[in-house]
């Protein structure tokens, strides 16, 4: 993912939370995941070398990186 693609993606998402080197954006407009092409729920950007994530639900994840940041595209599992 290049700078222009990431900037365009972030501008289409709703900022949700940022703390401890992790920033979360909500996908409120059903943008397709760049990895699997299915709409994703959230984009989680991990900016530090080490990050810890506490998950409260089962998620499928698609992963890429950009300039040393890990980008996680979350997909909530249907029950």
């Amino acid at each position: 993912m290049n700078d222009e693609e990431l900037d365009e993606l972030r501008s289409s998402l709703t900022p949700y939370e940022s703390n401890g080197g992790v920033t979360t954006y909500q996908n409120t407009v059903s943008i397709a995941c760049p990895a699997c092409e299915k709409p994703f729920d959230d984009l989680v950007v991990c900016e530090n070398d080490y990050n810890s994530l506490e998950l409260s639900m089962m998620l499928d994840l698609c992963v890429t990186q950009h300039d040393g940041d890990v980008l996680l595209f979350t997909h909530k599992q249907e029950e």
Side-chain angles (χ1 to χ4, degrees), residues 5-56:
E5 291 170 330
L6 182 57
D7 289 344
E8 184 177 333
L9 178 62
R10 282 182 173 165
S11 71
S12 300
L13 302 175
T14 304
Y16 179 69
E17 183 177 18
S18 181
N19 88 40
V22 177
T23 303
T24 305
Y25 301 87
Q26 288 183 316
N27 183 5
T28 58
V29 292
S30 297
I31 296 170
C33 174
C36 70
E37 300 181 359
K38 296 177 185 173
F40 62 94
D41 295 299
D42 298 300
L43 167 62
V44 180
V45 180
C46 300
E47 299 154 354
N48 295 337
D49 288 341
Y50 298 97
N51 292 106
S52 178
L53 303 174
E54 294 182 23
L55 304 177
S56 59

